[in-house]
Amino acid sequence: MKTVFSGVQPTGNLTIGNYLGAFKNWRDLQDENRCIFCVVDLHSLTVRNNPEDLKNNSKNIIMLYMAAGIDPEKSIIYLQSNVSAHANLSWVLSCYTYIGELSRMTQFKEKSENSDNINNGLFSYPVLMAADILLYGTDFVPVGEDQKQHVELCREIAIRFNNIYGKTFTVPEILIQSKLATRIKGLQNPTKKMSKSSKDKNDTIFLLDTEKDIISKIKKAVTDSDTRIYFDKETKPGISNLLTMYATITNKSIEESEKDFSDKTYGQFKKDLIEVVLNEIIPLQNKFNELKNSIDYVNNIIENNAKKAIEIANKNLENVYKKVGLL
Ligand code: TYM
């Protein structure tokens, strides 16, 4: 059985990009792999959060994982900060990661732009991510395309460590599950990734948006001056992004999706897209709300799953400590 590990940050509310690019597909991996899905709350400290919001967002993600079909009896779902081995291994790995490597990370560069809080955590963020992954002997890391560079750095660190101390870490591979949704773009800025922190509230569909807001955001999504519906990222980034969302949710190819709308107007296309998005999101929200009403059950899951994670993580951490000469 292969091990699959992934995580989502509880910074802000999750977007439809997080869902389509990542955890929508995780439930399909559960039957044939040992799956571990983390809420990476320590990573979220790299930006300033209201502590109450952070707590709520962390729990919300656990419930969204479950609402999306991740079964806490089959997979381990837990909070990163509940397993201290992540921070411990991160320190060790930071001594095997070069400043030059971290300086090249595009996410660090992007996040540092126009920021007055370029802290050390933001810089060494990929080391903690490597610790998350390596702690569990991970074979596959299902993530969106924006995380590719971080997984590649994780591989470098693992190989470097193994070369010095002998085989210690499994060298993980990135798993891009959906060829289409690896980078959902903003609805108002379709050349940029849809992000939790976009300043324009119409740019991002949040998973917990109301039906009214989802309809209004899709209606307002930018298109382009031409009236035909086809995929061309360069000349039609808005329509291409909406087609990508449509195709991902309906499991159709881009070509099939283009055909569905070959003789339709932008208005008709958006109407159909709204229906498809709502059919996907509203049942997820309903399950989420059911779980919210059973918070004791959810708390129990968080506690029990953390115990399972701690057991695996501590064993691997101990092995690393031994290799480097820590008593
Ligand atoms: P985060 O929280 O930014 O995003 C969570 C997942 O959602 C994907 N994603 C997207 N996919 C498509 N289109 C988008 N617009 C979009 N926005 C986000 C991301 O690729 C990711 O898969 N560093 C990670 C969290 C992390 C992690 C890990 C992941 C920490 N440790 C270990 C895997 C393994 C992050 O910030 O994801």
Side-chain angles (χ1 to χ4, degrees):
M1 217 182 214
K2 297 288 185 190
T3 298
V4 169
F5 182 98
S6 198
V8 173
Q9 283 193 75
T11 312
N13 293 317
L14 293 198
T15 73
I16 197 165
N18 294 128
Y19 176 66
L20 297 181
F23 68 99
K24 174 184 192 292
N25 302 309
W26 291 354
R27 79 173 151 228
D28 301 338
L29 297 166
Q30 296 180 106
D31 291 332
E32 285 171 18
N33 302 280
R34 174 176 76 158
C35 290
I36 305 171
F37 300 123
C38 184
V39 176
V40 292
D41 50 0
L42 294 174
H43 277 102
S44 285
L45 299 181
T46 53
V47 295
R48 297 282 175 264
N49 296 279
N50 170 311
E52 279 311 310
D53 289 347
L54 181 59
K55 280 188 217 166
N56 289 332
N57 289 337
S58 297
K59 217 169 259 186
N60 283 353
I61 298 184
I62 293 280
M63 292 188 280
L64 283 169
Y65 281 174
M66 288 160 70
I70 297 165
D71 176 352
E73 302 297 327
K74 278 190 196 155
S75 300
I76 301 179
I77 51 177
Y78 71 103
L79 306 178
Q80 185 187 32
S81 61
N82 286 176
V83 183
S84 54
H86 288 251
N88 294 342
L89 182 61
S90 179
W91 173 254
V92 175
L93 297 182
S94 71
C95 302
Y96 298 82
T97 312
Y98 297 116
I99 301 269
E101 290 175 314
L102 293 172
S103 310
R104 282 196 288 277
M105 295 292 117
T106 48
Q107 187 169 297
F108 172 68
K109 288 186 207 160
E110 278 166 18
K111 290 200 172 169
S112 316
E113 260 172 40
N114 308 319
S115 167
D116 53 6
N117 180 20
I118 309 174
N119 58 66
N120 187 35
L122 196 64
F123 186 62
S124 57
Y125 177 111
V127 183
L128 179 58
M129 182 162 161
D132 301 338
I133 297 168
L134 299 180
L135 211 41
Y136 296 91
T138 303
D139 297 285
F140 295 110
V141 187
V143 277
E145 204 186 57
D146 60 322
Q147 296 301 313
K148 200 168 166 189
Q149 199 185 24
H150 289 160
V151 179
E152 275 161 11
L153 178 59
C154 171
R155 288 171 55 85
E156 290 297 318
I157 300 170
I159 292 168
R160 181 171 305 143
F161 195 98
N162 286 350
N163 283 341
I164 304 173
Y165 299 102
K167 170 116 173 64
T168 310
F169 295 123
T170 303
V171 181
E173 276 174 46
I174 186 166
L175 182 69
I176 305 258
Q177 284 181 285
S178 160
K179 286 204 174 60
L180 300 174
T182 52
R183 204 180 276 253
I184 298 288
K185 305 288 189 348
L187 298 183
Q188 293 300 317
N189 297 295
T191 52
K192 290 214 172 110
K193 182 178 95 165
M194 182 185 279
S195 133
K196 293 166 190 160
S197 54
S198 175
K199 296 216 165 58
D200 183 340
K201 77 172 181 45
N202 287 318
D203 201 39
T204 307
I205 298 178
F206 294 104
L207 280 178
L208 298 177
D209 267 349
T210 61
E211 189 169 328
K212 203 167 140 233
D213 280 346
I214 296 175
I215 295 172
S216 145
K217 286 176 184 182
I218 296 179
K219 279 191 177 158
K220 288 186 188 136
V222 298
T223 47
D224 29 56
S225 52
D226 179 11
T227 52
R228 280 190 309 132
I229 296 165
Y230 61 91
F231 189 91
D232 186 334
K233 264 196 207 159
E234 303 304 321
T235 60
K236 295 175 76 72
I239 286 292
S240 301
N241 187 40
L242 299 181
L243 270 173
T244 304
M245 283 170 59
Y246 176 86
T248 311
I249 298 174
T250 55
N251 288 322
K252 289 185 180 177
S253 68
I254 288 289
E255 293 73 31
E256 283 172 302
S257 308
E258 281 174 331
K259 266 192 210 135
D260 285 354
F261 300 106
S262 59
D263 54 355
K264 301 248 171 86
T265 63
Y266 284 171
Q268 285 164 325
F269 172 39
K270 282 189 171 176
K271 201 166 149 261
D272 283 11
L273 179 63
I274 287 170
E275 196 183 317
V276 158
V277 169
L278 291 178
N279 281 343
E280 181 79 15
I281 300 298
I282 301 299
L284 187 88
Q285 291 187 354
N286 290 342
K287 282 191 207 135
F288 171 85
N289 288 328
E290 274 169 33
L291 288 162
K292 224 173 168 177
N293 289 330
S294 328
I295 210 68
D296 288 344
Y297 167 70
V298 175
N299 287 339
N300 237 321
I301 300 244
I302 295 177
E303 208 182 311
N304 290 338
N305 275 269
K307 283 185 193 145
K308 293 187 210 163
I310 288 170
E311 205 180 308
I312 307 169
N314 281 355
K315 223 163 99 198
N316 286 331
L317 180 69
E318 203 176 299
N319 184 34
V320 173
Y321 274 11
K322 251 193 229 151
K323 295 255 174 142
V324 296
L326 297 174
L327 287 174

